[in-house]
Amino acid sequence: MIEIIEKKNTDRMTNEMRIEFAAVSDNEAFARMAVAAFITPLNPTLEEMSDVKTAVSEAVTNAIIHGYENRGSLEDRVHMGCILRGDVLEVEIVDRGVGIADVEMAMEPLYTSRPDLERSGMGFAFMEAFMDNLEVCSDVGFGTSVKMYKKIGTSSWIASEE
Amino acid sequence: MEDFKIIDNYLMIRLPDEVDHHISVDISAKADRYIMSKKVGNVVFDFERTTFMDSSGIGVILGRYKKISCFGGKVYAINADNRIRRLLLLSGMQNIVEIMDSKTKT
Ligand SMILES: Nc1ncnc2c1ncn2[C@@H]1O[C@H](COP(=O)(O)OP(=O)(O)OP(=O)(O)O)[C@@H](O)[C@H]1O
Ligand SMILES: [Mg+2]
């Protein structure tokens, strides 16, 4: 039997997790897979899964190569937090690195400060394209926080009886 | 692992399952060694096995394009699924890369 359940209160937190990991490139795959596993119970479509993985990969890579200047030091830490409010995912990726002087310019598609590292300047553009909402907060010398939101599992408001 | 193969004047690069920053550094370095030592003119990126890519993959393509285009070389992308295609188009790669139609991958 299928019943339509009431739209969940979007303010109430229904799940939460937090991880901290070393700012080394091996952890890029770890981070996006952790988020993918976290949202699996929401039955995301393949498309939604790919969207989230790409966006997380972009933000984490930025923390590692820009925030921590690609040092690859185990002392440099990336913090990743995920919150579910009903079917809305909120992911926050935080580094305590160099920060961004001009966020608006940094978010321009094709802008990169590191063409020497073969960056293409598409990271923020991909995050914006694949998530519903993106908030960037940064302070030079203190670090950067990137918050992204996405509604998952477009049919999840129809719950089938277990 | 990614595979490199030279056919005539083409360097064929079979990309791995996941193309991110971690692996792309390696792919670029290896590709450049082939381009320099074997003097190949063109590069073909084969996405047959690729299920995940982020902007790092765009960087790999752009970087190889810059290396070979001033000598008249061309860059091709083959076997890209809809997802990879979307990433390429969002980045404007269609202007510098020949994105080949091929059997649709599911
Ligand atoms: N966490 C961060 N700390 C410091 N600077 C950052 C951070 N994230 C992004 N930036 C700055 O913003 C710019 C744009 O970021 P974006 O991800 O769009 O492009 P990119 O990383 O340079 O290239 P790509 O993501 O295509 O490889 C970066 O070049 C960098 O200067
Ligand atoms: Mg980036």
Side-chain angles (χ1 to χ4, degrees):
Chain A
M1 201 192 99
I2 292 177
E3 58 170 357
I4 297 172
I5 58 167
E6 284 204 358
K7 195 182 172 299
K8 287 166 193 142
N9 182 347
T10 45
D11 292 327
R12 223 186 86 239
M13 217 190 270
T14 45
N15 197 3
E16 189 264 346
M17 69 94 150
R18 231 172 287 194
I19 334 182
E20 186 197 305
F21 51 87
V24 296
S25 64
D26 305 70
N27 282 332
E28 292 156 6
F30 163 72
R32 62 178 180 264
M33 284 176 194
V35 179
F38 183 73
I39 62 170
T40 296
L42 295 180
N43 289 319
T45 61
L46 275 181
E47 178 89 12
E48 288 168 338
M49 199 57 122
S50 298
D51 289 353
V52 169
K53 281 168 72 177
T54 303
V56 168
S57 197
E58 295 298 347
V60 169
T61 302
N62 279 354
I64 294 172
I65 63 182
H66 301 302
Y68 294 119
E69 302 177 293
N70 210 26
R71 282 192 291 268
S73 159
L74 296 181
E75 317 264 285
D76 296 331
R77 316 296 288 180
V78 180
H79 300 255
M80 185 171 80
C82 290
I83 293 174
L84 285 179
R85 295 179 208 279
D87 52 5
V88 177
L89 168 73
E90 174 186 328
V91 195
E92 185 180 29
I93 285 126
V94 178
D95 67 72
R96 303 266 174 233
V98 296
I100 306 172
D102 187 339
V103 172
E104 207 177 308
M105 181 175 78
M107 291 178 74
E108 285 286 314
L110 299 177
Y111 170 80
T112 180
S113 57
R114 299 303 298 268
D116 56 311
L117 291 180
E118 283 200 348
R119 306 319 300 179
S120 59
M122 287 305 295
F124 280 127
F126 284 177
M127 290 181 241
E128 282 196 300
F130 298 134
M131 302 296 276
D132 297 339
N133 218 334
L134 172 67
E135 291 167 8
V136 181
C137 188
S138 190
D139 215 342
V140 174
F142 290 92
T144 301
S145 149
V146 174
K147 256 193 205 179
M148 303 182 280
Y149 302 83
K150 190 177 179 71
K151 192 165 154 36
I152 303 294
T154 36
S155 61
S156 69
W157 55 281
I158 299 176
S160 56
E161 213 173 69
E162 303 280 306
Chain B
M1 281 306 284
E2 71 281 0
D3 297 331
F4 295 82
K5 203 162 61 186
I6 291 170
I7 301 175
D8 299 330
N9 196 20
Y10 293 82
L11 172 62
M12 312 281 298
I13 304 177
R14 221 149 84 91
L15 294 166
D17 179 33
E18 306 217 313
V19 181
D20 64 4
H21 161 239
H22 182 68
I23 196 124
S24 65
V25 178
D26 229 54
I27 299 172
S28 293
K30 280 190 188 136
D32 286 351
R33 273 205 297 280
Y34 278 97
I35 292 169
M36 300 303 174
S37 66
K38 313 282 187 206
K39 307 261 183 291
V40 283
N42 309 288
V43 177
V44 181
F45 289 98
D46 185 350
F47 289 93
E48 172 94 64
R49 288 184 297 188
T50 308
T51 59
F52 174 87
M53 186 168 91
D54 64 20
S55 64
S56 310
I58 303 298
V60 174
I61 296 173
L62 261 179
R64 308 295 73 66
Y65 172 79
K66 284 179 186 157
K67 289 243 152 57
I68 61 166
S69 61
C70 44
F71 305 108
K74 284 185 95 176
V75 177
Y76 302 83
I78 61 171
N79 295 323
D81 64 14
N82 288 337
R83 175 90 200 160
I84 306 285
R85 227 168 247 272
R86 187 162 168 224
L87 291 173
L88 294 173
L89 296 181
L90 273 172
S91 330
M93 289 294 106
Q94 67 276 23
N95 299 320
I96 61 167
V97 176
E98 186 94 31
I99 305 170
M100 313 286 278
D101 278 324
S102 49
K103 53 183 187 321
T104 33
K105 202 173 110 181
T106 42

